[in-house]
Amino acid sequence: MKKFVVANWKANKNIKETREFLVEFNNQILPENVVVIFCPSLPLLKAFEGVPYFLGAQDVSAFPTGPHTGEVAASQVAEMVDYALIGHSERRTEFKESDEVIVAKIGQAFACNIMPIVCVSNLNQVQILADAGFKADDLLLAYEPLDAISTGKVGKAEDVKEVLAFIKEVQTILPDVPVLYGGSVNSKNAAVYAKSSEIWGVLVGNASREPEELFKIIQAYA
């Protein structure tokens, strides 16, 4: 069974820093069962040309190409990425993205053969996806409990039980949908989540920006 490690760099790094990261990270031998997906800021995508990893956009527009200043349409990045983060908690809170907008973004990504990685923090958000007609094969989910994001939680057995309970509920709404976990994942707690077959992988934020730290997280799945 393939596992996913998604590195969300958010609004960090420039071209020089990205190339320095890759020089160090490319020396690592990664497990064959792990799908590594880098989601850098859009200007950094070109710096990843030729690397043996999958790429994802941190967002795509709810609109197709056209008169939408400041937006980046899914079709504009479709040649560079295979995945796109959609509905991240920061987009929902800082940019007030509604469920309607998020559903539109998923549709745009899907129409351009980009696999959406849809971030959710509650079951209502999952139900909205099901009501919109999306199926398990259409997307990956990333569960982001809001009380765990950017907190540096260690990751205990109780945390895993809570994640598994959420995933069980998700499966009643979208049967067989792959669910990743994203909530302050780091090298100290990755192994806790890696032990569970129900958790398909992790969405990593701050810890993914350091080559050694990210490698240790990936190695938890070896």
Side-chain angles (χ1 to χ4, degrees), residues 88-114:
H88 191 279
S89 59
E90 292 162 356
R91 300 293 309 179
R92 293 178 188 264
T93 56
E94 295 177 10
F95 298 93
K96 312 303 180 188
E97 288 190 357
S98 67
D99 293 315
E100 181 181 27
V101 167
I102 288 165
V103 166
K105 288 186 174 190
I106 297 170
Q108 289 293 323
F110 194 69
C112 294
N113 295 315
I114 297 172

Side-chain angles (χ1 to χ4, degrees), residues 17-217:
E17 291 166 339
T18 299
R19 287 172 175 163
E20 290 172 348
F21 174 98
L22 290 172
V23 166
E24 184 173 346
F25 189 77
N26 286 341
N27 290 327
Q28 310 293 344
I29 299 176
L30 306 182
E32 292 184 1
N33 64 309
V34 180
V35 177
V36 179
I37 305 168
F38 281 96
C39 297
S41 298
L42 290 174
L44 305 180
L45 287 173
K46 294 289 285 184
F48 281 84
E49 283 187 339
V51 300
Y53 320 115
F54 289 96
L55 290 179
Q58 291 181 11
D59 190 30
V60 294
S61 178
F63 302 99
T65 55
H68 310 294
T69 302
E71 291 289 276
V72 177
S75 61
Q76 292 179 287
V77 293
E79 293 179 339
M80 294 183 283
V81 305
D82 295 287
Y83 297 86
L85 292 175
I86 296 176
H88 191 279
S89 59
E90 292 162 356
R91 300 293 309 179
R92 293 178 188 264
T93 56
E94 295 177 10
F95 298 93
K96 312 303 180 188
E97 288 190 357
S98 67
D99 293 315
E100 181 181 27
V101 167
I102 288 165
V103 166
K105 288 186 174 190
I106 297 170
Q108 289 293 323
F110 194 69
C112 294
N113 295 315
I114 297 172
M115 175 64 77
I117 303 173
V118 185
C119 302
V120 297
S121 59
N122 59 61
L123 293 173
N124 182 59
Q125 292 168 349
V126 180
Q127 186 64 57
I128 288 168
L129 300 179
D131 291 344
F134 296 113
K135 303 285 192 299
D137 292 341
D138 298 339
L139 43 79
L140 302 175
L141 291 187
Y143 173 43
E144 296 183 297
L146 296 182
D147 61 350
I149 297 171
S150 299
T151 61
K153 289 179 68 173
V154 175
K156 301 178 181 178
E158 299 82 46
D159 299 324
V160 177
K161 288 181 181 178
E162 188 274 332
V163 175
L164 294 178
F166 181 85
I167 291 176
K168 185 176 181 180
E169 293 293 332
V170 167
Q171 299 299 341
T172 66
I173 301 170
L174 280 174
D176 300 320
V177 66
V179 182
L180 317 181
Y181 175 71
S184 293
V185 176
N186 55 48
S187 62
K188 296 179 180 178
N189 61 31
V192 176
Y193 301 108
K195 290 178 182 178
S196 174
S197 60
E198 289 91 344
I199 303 173
W200 282 59
V202 286
L203 171 61
V204 191
N206 291 334
S208 70
R209 305 202 312 266
E210 297 297 328
E212 185 176 354
E213 180 77 355
L214 180 59
F215 178 66
K216 287 179 180 178
I217 293 170

